[in-house]
Amino acid sequence: MRYADCASESHNEKAFCELMEQELSNLGIPFERQELSSQVVTDGWNILARVPGKADKKPFLFVFHLDTVAPGNFVETCIEDGRIKSRGNSILGADGKLAIAVVMEAVSRLLAAGEMNRPVEMLFTVCQELGLHGGKYADYSRIESEEAVVIDHYVTGEVLIRTPSRLYLNVELIGHEAHVIRDAELGVNALKAAVEIIHQIPTGRITENQSINIFDLVSLSPSNAVPKYARFDVEIRSFGEAIRKEAKEKIHRIVTDTAERMGCRCNIREELDVPEADFSENTDLLERMAAIYEKTGIPMKLARSFGVLDATCTNQLGIRTVPIGLNIYHSHSAREYVVVDEMKKMLELAENIIRYF
């Protein structure tokens, strides 16, 4: 609850960075800041901490993200009916902070009892919710681990074996400005063309392998002028390159054909922001994790998620990674909560991962 009460919306993680440094200091855990300069727009920084373990053991890595989505600047936590939630119209921030709290509690208990096994590295990243920015620009040369666990999914017991690619399309429409009274017939309304295009693009969960979202429609114009310019963005999350390519080409055709029909010029820029990740190849890690879940008394289920995770960054760099979940309800909304009784099992799971992974 103390972590959730410390505001850390993306771009503004400084206060929570400082709180986590104090937490690490209180436990005697050495850490270092990773300043991100102009690469990431934030007042915070990544933190890399190292929890000592047995000298003959290789370390493994936990990755957490410090930032939360908006609205998260005025969180006031409370417990009602056995649930931790926010009193007001803010998110709780359990997406990110629940995993940090559970693992920090587990580490503090095992350190106090002298029961640490492998050394544990912990990477705390900023601006994850905006596109894994902290994870993309972390200094991995400072990390010794060859294996990682990322807790950034919403269901206790689910272990992710695939996450999707994320492709952004930026669409620009350029029409012709004209006065709406004197010579409206000379104008070409770029905003109207944009809306016509958007109407033709399917959105939401298109299939079990794809979701599409349209956002950030912008067209600034005085009220007495036909809008000359409009833009909007499309996010495409896909499992499978062929599925992504087909969706991209379909949207390209809709944009170009409609723009031509309505007399606009168009530009389409694309960025593959996050590649698809396949964690199923890390079979020995999954087998070890299955034994830990069995020891903890939690049924383990292999799953996919449409979320994008820092796990993609680590796995892509050769730090073989297992992404797992802890129960969070209605994440990214003011209805977000976690159940206190369920956290006891989460803590046991975290302790067993540190003991046996």
Side-chain angles (χ1 to χ4, degrees):
M1 292 171 73
R2 191 157 45 84
Y3 291 177
D5 286 338
C6 182
S8 60
E9 283 186 5
S10 303
H11 296 309
N12 297 287
E13 301 96 340
K14 179 181 179 181
F16 193 42
C17 289
E18 292 173 339
L19 175 58
M20 289 313 305
E21 289 182 341
Q22 186 61 55
E23 295 283 282
L24 294 164
S25 295
N26 291 344
L27 290 172
I29 298 173
F31 64 88
E32 61 188 54
R33 288 186 181 185
Q34 293 191 351
E35 302 284 357
L36 296 163
S37 64
S38 61
Q39 294 169 320
V40 181
V41 180
T42 177
D43 63 2
W45 48 86
N46 288 351
I47 302 170
L48 176 61
R50 297 181 177 88
V51 185
K54 295 179 179 177
D56 61 336
K57 300 281 188 178
K58 291 184 177 181
F60 78 92
L61 174 70
F62 277 113
V63 184
F64 312 100
H65 65 90
L66 296 162
D67 62 317
T68 66
V69 297
N73 281 335
F74 302 100
V75 181
E76 184 182 351
T77 53
C78 63
I79 299 177
E80 291 182 3
D81 301 322
R83 299 173 176 181
I84 300 176
K85 55 182 288 187
S86 175
R87 288 187 191 277
N89 294 319
S90 72
I91 52 103
L92 174 64
D95 180 1
K97 292 179 178 177
L98 175 62
I100 296 172
V102 169
V103 172
M104 288 292 287
E105 177 68 15
V107 165
S108 67
R109 292 185 181 206
L110 294 174
L111 280 174
E115 296 179 3
M116 289 295 298
N117 182 22
R118 297 171 66 177
V120 174
E121 296 181 307
M122 296 191 291
L123 177 64
F124 303 84
T125 68
V126 295
C127 293
Q128 186 270 355
E129 297 287 2
L130 301 179
L132 316 182
H133 293 174
K136 287 178 179 178
Y137 292 103
D139 184 358
Y140 291 97
S141 70
R142 304 290 297 163
I143 293 173
E144 298 178 16
S145 299
E146 298 175 354
E147 300 172 350
V149 176
V150 176
I151 309 174
D152 196 11
H153 179 57
Y154 307 147
V155 182
T156 302
E158 288 194 351
V159 174
L160 302 183
I161 54 172
R162 286 184 75 190
T163 55
S165 64
R166 181 166 67 182
L167 176 69
Y168 285 132
L169 301 179
N170 169 253
V171 179
E172 291 183 314
L173 286 307
I174 302 97
H176 186 77
E177 186 174 324
H179 195 282
V180 296
I181 303 300
R182 292 198 305 267
D183 47 12
E185 70 281 359
L186 300 179
V188 176
N189 193 316
L191 175 57
K192 190 173 181 180
V195 171
E196 177 70 19
I197 291 167
I198 290 170
H199 180 69
Q200 298 175 66
I201 299 174
T203 58
R205 186 66 60 86
I206 309 304
T207 67
E208 64 178 6
N209 291 314
Q210 187 168 83
S211 72
I212 297 177
N213 188 41
I214 296 174
F215 61 104
D216 283 354
L217 171 62
V218 178
S219 180
L220 301 177
S221 174
S223 64
N224 64 348
V226 174
K228 176 183 178 180
Y229 179 84
R231 63 167 300 279
F232 63 90
D233 295 311
V234 184
E235 180 203 73
I236 305 171
R237 300 191 189 202
S238 305
F239 290 102
E241 184 177 352
I243 291 171
R244 183 182 73 238
K245 182 179 179 182
E246 181 181 1
K248 180 188 73 172
E249 291 177 348
K250 180 179 179 180
I251 293 171
H252 270 259
R253 288 195 300 272
I254 291 171
V255 172
T256 54
D257 291 352
T258 306
E260 182 179 5
R261 174 167 54 83
M262 300 186 71
C264 282
R265 292 182 291 120
C266 67
N267 296 314
I268 306 173
R269 294 192 298 272
E270 60 184 70
E271 176 192 4
L272 185 62
D273 176 55
V274 178
E276 185 173 350
D278 182 357
F279 306 99
S280 65
E281 298 172 350
N282 302 324
T283 52
D284 57 324
L285 275 62
L286 293 170
E287 289 170 1
R288 278 151 46 197
M289 195 62 76
I292 291 168
Y293 275 88
E294 184 176 4
K295 186 182 294 288
T296 311
I298 299 174
M300 183 178 118
K301 178 183 177 181
L302 300 180
R304 301 188 315 174
S305 169
F306 269 93
V308 292
L309 319 175
D310 282 333
T312 299
C313 301
T314 51
N315 205 62
Q316 190 178 31
L317 289 167
I319 304 174
R320 298 187 306 131
T321 303
V322 179
I324 69 173
L326 297 177
N327 282 349
I328 302 173
Y329 301 91
H330 303 301
S331 182
H332 287 208
S333 80
R335 296 180 297 149
E336 183 181 20
Y337 69 88
V338 297
V339 176
V340 174
D341 283 345
E342 292 178 351
M343 293 178 69
K344 299 171 185 176
K345 208 63 177 174
M346 297 177 194
L347 177 59
E348 184 183 350
L349 175 63
E351 289 179 344
N352 283 339
I353 290 172
I354 296 169
R355 282 193 179 102
Y356 305 116
F357 185 64

